């Protein structure tokens, strides 16, 4: 018997709002996370990512549907599920009046680790998050990113079988983010499973084996970052600065993504010379790069928004 | 990685979480030092206005101090939930939910114990407690404390906003801790209030303690009512807080 780390089946959540209309945060989300996988939940603000993580981590009751963690249903067997999970909450902060070392150490003790192993793990986690320099200062004196690193250190030190991380790298510098990615990889190598949310699509791409895009409480797409990028219809992106109004000129070369700064043409290497020719002829500034997950995300979610309207 | 399929035992992680909270509180020396302000001010008033009642007021100060710990629990539990979201970190973990509630209460109590013991020492110098009084004091303050931190924790879970909590916390603890006969003898209260006081834990506790110091203020029935209501209310509210701690982990 080898149950998956997490199986969600048609999870719905309607928040009741006092004196207001109810909010449908999740409208039937089904997903699976295999043991040892790193899976990212992506989606716009308010898509329902945090709501899903809270339900899966036993902190919020679904309106209907079920989630099970290692074969145990999160509602009926919450106690059992809780012994195998750890959570970095969105916008969580460490105790202001503890030091990072005390925060990590006491958290491990509260989870049942003995003094010696709590101490060793604390040292390792602080080192991984590069917090040694500030490890003995009160958290209240730390910068925002250092506090966030303390939260992540606290949770990765547990090496819990299933970790939920809600925007774990928010506010971190690029070095610190890469430190978190490395820790995540190490955790899954050692057998943990990770479900995280992020708005940094380079992070989702670098880190996750698979990802789900949630939009208005539904799973819009699931698959790998590579697979998703293929959906946009090309491997290269030509960005025309200030070319937002030139959609007609370029629409025959590939699919288009617009943002406030530029028009992006997603295309194939064979058509590159032609496009650059047109751009140069019109005295436009064009840059070329590989298609990123960000474009795929904008494309897929944008298509869904258009269809909805 | 093996996963135990038995339910974790009750109060798992209690002492470790109490230690966490104790460390947090001990970093806030100013709050501990100022925790005695109301008590000391009232004691000064009494020693000026009615020096003969200083013993009663000192007993009241001890009881009130334990009662006021509930307000600290309320504020701390609300703060780390609303502002820090640390409840999510600790409750989605093997730590038992009742250990989160009671460990927090224990940590706060131990952190604030030193100044209370100083007041108790002052009371001993003025009153010279008998063994019966001393035992009554210990049992009564434990009941008052259990009652108060349980109420504090339960109330803390009902709010989403820190600012909304402050006025209610202050109202709750001043109304039940300062207004009834805690710092003054129950015999000085109007008759109707006297009966109500026997059912409020802080004033029931002080009435019982004072009865062991200067007997014959209360009838046998009143002693029974005060003792029974204190014990039953403390036990019921504490048990409800444990139930509530487990139940409120998962929001609806
Ligand atoms: N307690 C609540 N009461 C009512 N509505 C809520 C509550 N919490 C969340 N919502 C609503 O549910 C929807 C999903 O919210 P959720 O926090 O899950 O989004 P999210 O995907 O995590 O967004 P973000 O990227 O901004 O963190 C939103 O419309 C939000 O306004
Ligand atoms: Mg969120």
């Amino acid at each position: 018997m080898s149950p998956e780390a997490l199986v969600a089946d048609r999870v719905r959540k309607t928040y009741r709002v006092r004196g207001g209309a109810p909010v449908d945060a999740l409208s039937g989300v089904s997903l699976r996370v295999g043991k040892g996988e790193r899976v990212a939940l992506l989606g716009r603000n308010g898509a329902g990512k945090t709501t899903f993580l809270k339900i899966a981590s036993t902190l919020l009751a679904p309106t209907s549907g079920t989630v099970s963690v290692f074969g145990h249903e999160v509602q009926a067997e919450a106690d059992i599920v809780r012994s195998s999970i750890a959570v970095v909450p969105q916008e969580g902060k460490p105790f202001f009046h503890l030091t990072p070392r005390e925060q990590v150490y006491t958290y491990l003790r509260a989870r049942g680790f003995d003094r010696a192993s709590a101490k060793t793990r604390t040292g390792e986690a602080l080192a991984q998050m590069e917090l040694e320099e500030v490890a003995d200062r009160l958290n209240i004196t730390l910068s925002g990113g250092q506090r966030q690193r303390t939260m992540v250190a606290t949770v990765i030190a547990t090496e819990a079988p299933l970790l939920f991380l809600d925007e774990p790298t928010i506010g971190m510098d690029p070095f610190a983010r890469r430190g978190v990615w490395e820790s995540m990889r190490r955790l899954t190598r050692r057998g943990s499973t990770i479900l995280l949310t992020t708005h940094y699509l380079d992070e989702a791409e670098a880190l996750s084996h698979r990802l789900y895009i949630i939009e208005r409480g539904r799973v819009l797409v699931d698959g790998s970052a590579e697979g998703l990028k293929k959906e946009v219809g090309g491997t290269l992106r030509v960005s025309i600065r200030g070319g937002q109004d030139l959609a007609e000129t370029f629409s025959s070369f590939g699919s288009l993504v617009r943002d406030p700064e530029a028009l992006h043409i997603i295309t194939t290497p064979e058509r590159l010379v032609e496009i650059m020719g047109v751009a140069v002829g019109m005295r436009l500034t064009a840059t070329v790069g590989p298609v990123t997950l960000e474009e795929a995300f904008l494309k897929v979610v944008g298509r869904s928004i258009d269809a909805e309207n | 990685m093996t996963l135990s399929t038995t339910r974790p035992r009750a109060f798992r992680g209690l002492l470790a979480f109490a230690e966490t909270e104790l460390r947090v509180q001990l970093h806030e020396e100013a709050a501990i030092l100022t925790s005695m302000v109301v008590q000391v001010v009232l004691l000064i008033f009494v020693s000026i206005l009615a020096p003969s009642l200083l013993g009663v007021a000192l007993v009241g100060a001890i009881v009130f101090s334990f009662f006021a710990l509930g307000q600290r629990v309320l504020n701390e539990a609300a703060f780390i939930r609303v502002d820090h979201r640390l409840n999510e970190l600790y409750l989605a973990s093997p730590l038992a939910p009742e250990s989160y509630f009671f460990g927090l209460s224990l940590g706060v109590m131990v952190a604030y114990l030193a100044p209370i013991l100083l007041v108790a020492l002052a009371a001993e110098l003025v009153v010279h407690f008998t063994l019966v009084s001393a035992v009554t004091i210990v049992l009564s303050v434990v009941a008052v404390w259990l009652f108060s931190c349980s109420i504090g924790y339960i109330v803390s879970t009902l709010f989403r906003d820190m600012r909304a909590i402050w006025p209610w916390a202050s109202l709750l603890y001043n109304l039940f801790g300062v207004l009834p006969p805690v710092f003054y003898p129950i015999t000085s209260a109007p008759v109707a209030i006297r009966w109500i006081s026997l059912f409020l834990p802080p004033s029931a506790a002080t009435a019982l303690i004072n009865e062991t110091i200067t007997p014959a203020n209360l009838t046998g029935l009143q002693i029974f009512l005060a003792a029974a209501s204190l014990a039953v209310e403390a036990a019921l509210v504490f048990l409800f807080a444990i139930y509530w701690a487990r139940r409120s982990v998962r929001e609806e």
Side-chain angles (χ1 to χ4, degrees), chain A residues 14-232:
Chain A
T14 304
Y15 287 106
R16 285 184 301 253
V17 181
R18 216 175 291 161
V23 178
D24 288 322
L26 296 177
S27 315
V29 168
S30 300
L31 56 84
R32 280 163 187 276
V33 182
K35 271 187 192 168
E37 264 194 312
R38 295 186 298 270
V39 172
L41 292 186
L42 309 179
R44 295 191 292 155
N45 294 137
K49 305 177 296 295
T50 297
T51 302
F52 182 82
L53 286 198
K54 280 189 162 182
I55 290 171
S57 58
T58 78
L59 298 172
L60 181 69
T63 306
S64 68
T66 57
V67 181
S68 49
V69 166
F70 299 112
H72 298 283
E73 214 275 313
V74 296
Q75 294 237 85
E77 299 178 288
D79 284 347
I80 294 170
V81 170
R82 284 178 194 137
S83 46
S84 61
I85 62 173
V87 175
V88 174
Q90 181 172 10
E91 295 185 336
K93 298 174 204 158
F95 274 112
F96 282 171
H97 290 95
L98 291 182
T99 66
R101 192 184 307 285
E102 286 178 308
Q103 170 74 55
V104 179
Y105 175 79
T106 55
Y107 183 64
L108 293 173
R109 293 282 295 138
R111 289 183 67 110
F113 288 95
D114 63 48
R115 287 179 195 281
S117 59
K119 195 155 178 253
T120 318
R121 280 165 182 262
T122 301
E124 284 168 9
L126 292 173
Q128 276 179 43
M129 287 299 109
E130 300 196 17
L131 282 165
E132 286 129 321
E133 228 171 275
V134 297
D136 298 305
R137 268 166 48 187
L138 290 186
N139 288 323
I140 192 152
T141 70
L142 303 187
S143 74
Q146 289 168 335
R147 287 182 197 167
Q148 185 62 21
R149 273 146 64 186
T150 303
M151 286 303 279
V152 174
T154 304
V155 167
I156 62 170
T158 66
E159 296 192 8
L162 176 58
L163 294 116
F164 296 99
L165 304 114
D166 202 348
E167 301 192 26
T169 59
I170 189 135
M172 288 189 193
D173 68 53
F175 292 99
R177 281 171 63 208
R178 280 162 183 76
V180 173
W181 302 353
E182 197 38 52
S183 300
M184 305 286 108
R185 295 194 186 104
R186 185 177 304 129
L187 281 164
T188 48
R189 272 200 303 272
R190 294 192 187 177
S192 292
T193 303
I194 291 175
L195 181 60
L196 80 153
T197 77
T198 180
H199 288 295
Y200 300 117
L201 295 162
D202 59 335
E203 177 164 304
E205 191 165 354
L207 195 55
S208 56
H209 299 115
R210 281 190 311 119
L211 45 88
Y212 288 87
I213 297 181
I214 312 260
E215 167 67 8
R216 295 181 212 247
R218 288 191 176 80
V219 174
L220 198 58
V221 190
D222 74 280
S224 64
E226 281 313 310
L228 195 64
K229 285 194 288 185
K230 289 205 183 90
E231 284 218 0
V232 298

